[in-house]
Structure formats: structure tokens, C-alpha cells
Amino acid sequence: MQGRPWALEDAEYDVVVVGGGAAGLWTALRAAEQGGRVCVVSRTPLSQSASFWAQGGLAAALEPDDTPERHAADTIAAGRGLCRPSAVSVLVEEAPAVVRDLQAAMYRS
């Protein structure tokens, strides 16, 4: 077993997040910000997760000349039309605020 196997045996946590990808790490960050004692369990080291190796990073309509509609069109094109429109809508509408939250979290660290 890699990592520190004792961590799960000797400590108590308020939140255990299973998965070290972007969603899991975001959840862990938010729980820790609220005062939770957080443990992240990942099958692989975090530097080997799919999110770490994602080619495009993350995307959001943040610039004045960009819009959620353009982001949606790009997302649907990249997904070759196979994306669920309701999921794309949630993504492009919520992404700017989440990216700003991530940027703010980096400055608090």
C-alpha cells in the first residue's frame, strides 16, 4: 500500500472524499474551509489523476468578449454533439463563479 496507511487508522475525519480528481479536491477544499477535518482517498497519487493530466485545464467565459453561449457552442463541438445540453448549460453558467472561487482560494493559501 502506498502513502500513509496509518492515516486512516489513527485519525478521525469529519469528511472522507473518495477520488482525487478535480471534483474530489474541490469538495475537500470546500469542506476544509468550513472547518471540516478532511481525508482524501485516491486510487493513485494525485499527480497521476485524469484531472491532473487534462489537456485543456478548465474553461470558463471570463473575458468581456466571451460568453456562456460561446462556451456552450465550443463544448458541444468538442464533444462532437454527444454532450447532454442540460449538463452543458449548468457547466457554462456555473463555471465563471467556480473559477473565481478557485482563484480566490489560491490567494488565501
Side-chain angles (χ1 to χ4, degrees):
M1 180 182 271
Q2 294 182 4
R4 302 180 308 182
W6 53 265
L8 293 177
E9 296 173 11
D10 296 343
E12 292 185 17
Y13 301 100
D14 300 309
V15 177
V16 176
V17 177
V18 178
L25 294 178
W26 177 249
T27 301
L29 175 65
R30 297 306 291 221
E33 287 176 341
Q34 298 299 314
R37 294 170 296 170
V38 180
C39 175
V40 176
V41 179
S42 179
R43 174 172 47 109
T44 62
L46 300 181
S47 63
Q48 294 177 11
S49 71
S51 294
F52 181 86
W53 290 104
Q55 290 292 317
L58 52 94
L62 299 174
E63 299 298 322
D65 64 337
D66 202 359
T67 65
E69 293 77 22
R70 287 180 65 189
H71 184 187
D74 289 346
T75 300
I76 291 169
R80 297 187 176 143
L82 299 175
C83 303
R84 183 182 309 157
S86 61
V88 172
S89 179
V90 169
L91 169 76
V92 301
E93 294 299 328
E94 295 184 7
V98 172
V99 169
R100 289 187 185 100
D101 285 348
L102 281 169
Q103 290 170 326
M106 289 184 340
Y107 292 117
R108 287 192 306 266
S109 301

